Amino acid sequence: MWKQFLGKISQKSPKSGSGGRGSPPQKSPPSCGANGAEAELRASPPPQASAVAAAPGSETREDVFLRKLNICCVVFDFAAERGRDSPEVERKRQVLVSLVDCVSVAEEPLTEAMISACVRMFAINLFRVFPPKLHSGGATDEDEPFFDPSWYHLQVVYELLLRFVMSPVVDVKVARKYMDNSFISRLLDLFDSDDPRERECLKTVLHRIYGKFMGNRPFIRKAVSNIFYRFVFETDHYNGIAELLEVFGSVISGFAKPLKEEHKLFLWKALIPLHKPKTVGVYLPQLTYCITQFIEKEPKLTGIVIRGLLKYWPVTNSQKEMMFLGELEEVLELTEMADFQKCAVPLFRRIAQCLNSSHFQVAERALFLWNNKHLFDLISQNRQVILPIIYPALERNARWHWNQSVLNVTMNVRKMFFDMDERLLLACETNFQEEEKRRAASEEQRRLVWERLERNATFQSLTGDIGFAVSPTSAPLVAAAMT
């Protein structure tokens, strides 16, 4: 195999070498090197030419591999020059492709020097600072995606990194010495890339690293939690939240039962606060999947999840409120009776407010909760507690809501309760009428008080007396206390 590997180098030498026997060598385009790699390449003869001059058996497998990695450590500035057709750029890409093929079919273990050089090449090519201008404004679904001009090479580097992590010829113990916590932390920072293609590759790479490097798992969970904290409480902008949640969806599904306390804290302190940002709609499906995975592992966590949803429930954002109602229905489908009874009162107080929302889609979405068979069974068995809470909202909708569709669904829900327990419904109706009479009397008294105040104010403005009657007080004056 390594003879074929050397043969590929010798076959490519005429393309990037001199144009003819007597013609001078071509100049390479300007590029920015990393760690002096470019200067070393230009001071020494091209590796292809060296490979041609040397006999195939005079170089070891490690020497050829390291030389090719050294070629790939040269970084080109694609933002300044779109020079895909330049010889040096194409040469680097061809070498990267050959390295991918080599790692894919390798049968002998990679030496420590080869592993170290691979990790160094990954760091030089991938770890970079994103331009600040790409982070102006919040990301939304309507924003057009940004495509990195350097993806022409980054794609092959990510492919090589994935093959490197998955390869059986890479010793995990040796690789962990170089792919340490610092490397993983900088790799996680790349999830903030504006290019969706890069985030997709990172998602696959991180999943493979989490699966193979078991010693790094606690650090990865902690580092991802810190990313979520900064996003929720500091920056309010991060591009890769959906991809990170997608990775952790499969991670959570692999948690052993019973769940560790660390995993429960991750749910309460990292996942549930992700409902707070205004861009929650971008990653809500992935977030909901992670939360439902926790509940399937341990159903008693339902109460924690519902309290968290109520804590971050939106007040002025109707679209976000509809998304919360959809997630709430998925959570309630997994809720058992004992856990449902613990949170039924605060939950249906919030649902009652949604029923009376002036936004007809919010009210309609809340009424559709009764179409869920499991939720309907939970409500019917706890109707003595739930119906007195939501009946006033149903009655107000039936009397005053402006939308005909909401009115129709409200009448259907009332009929469900009537068929369920007619006596309880009539009792709630009587209580509602009495409460309305008390409210009307209170409103009338308040109106009379304001009328009296307005008459007094009008009389005082006509007489010129602008003083206000102040009731005598037994408290001593401040001036008297100071004398």
Side-chain angles (χ1 to χ4, degrees), residues 311-379:
K311 177 181 178 181
Y312 295 104
W313 197 275
V315 178
T316 58
N317 191 332
S318 300
Q319 296 298 324
K320 190 175 176 182
E321 197 167 7
M322 290 173 58
M323 290 187 286
F324 271 52
L325 287 168
E327 182 178 4
L328 180 63
E329 182 175 1
E330 293 190 38
V331 171
L332 289 173
E333 284 183 352
L334 304 173
T335 306
E336 298 178 354
M337 180 61 68
D339 302 310
F340 177 79
Q341 291 173 346
K342 293 178 182 178
C343 58
V345 173
L347 172 62
F348 279 89
R349 283 176 181 167
R350 172 57 63 181
I351 292 177
Q353 295 177 6
C354 295
L355 293 176
N356 289 145
S357 174
S358 58
H359 195 290
F360 78 97
Q361 290 180 327
V362 174
E364 196 174 41
R365 185 64 184 86
L367 289 165
F368 283 158
L369 292 175
W370 273 260
N371 292 339
N372 188 296
K373 186 178 183 303
H374 178 68
L375 183 55
F376 181 79
D377 293 339
L378 293 175
I379 294 173

Side-chain angles (χ1 to χ4, degrees), residues 35 113 122 197 218 225 250 310 356 399 419 427 444:
N35 298 332
F122 297 145
R197 301 170 298 182
S225 298
S250 58
L310 296 177
N356 289 145
R399 293 186 182 186
D419 297 337
E444 180 65 19

Side-chain angles (χ1 to χ4, degrees), residues 292-317:
T292 53
Q293 288 295 307
F294 268 106
I295 296 176
E296 288 179 359
K297 293 285 182 181
E298 193 165 324
K300 292 183 179 181
L301 294 174
T302 308
I304 296 177
V305 173
I306 292 178
R307 286 195 298 270
L309 286 174
L310 296 177
K311 177 181 178 181
Y312 295 104
W313 197 275
V315 178
T316 58
N317 191 332

Side-chain angles (χ1 to χ4, degrees), residues 37-96:
E38 183 182 7
E40 182 182 350
L41 281 175
R42 298 194 180 196
S44 60
Q48 284 92 337
S50 302
V52 175
S58 63
E59 286 187 306
T60 64
R61 163 181 178 250
E62 183 177 294
D63 294 337
V64 177
F65 195 84
L66 294 179
R67 187 184 325 112
K68 297 180 80 100
L69 288 173
N70 189 41
I71 294 173
C72 297
C73 286
V74 180
V75 180
F76 298 93
D77 187 3
F78 285 87
E81 54 164 322
R82 312 261 174 166
R84 289 188 180 181
D85 298 331
S86 61
E88 290 295 329
V89 172
E90 184 59 28
R91 173 192 184 194
K92 176 183 174 182
R93 178 177 172 80
Q94 293 299 327
V95 174
L96 283 169

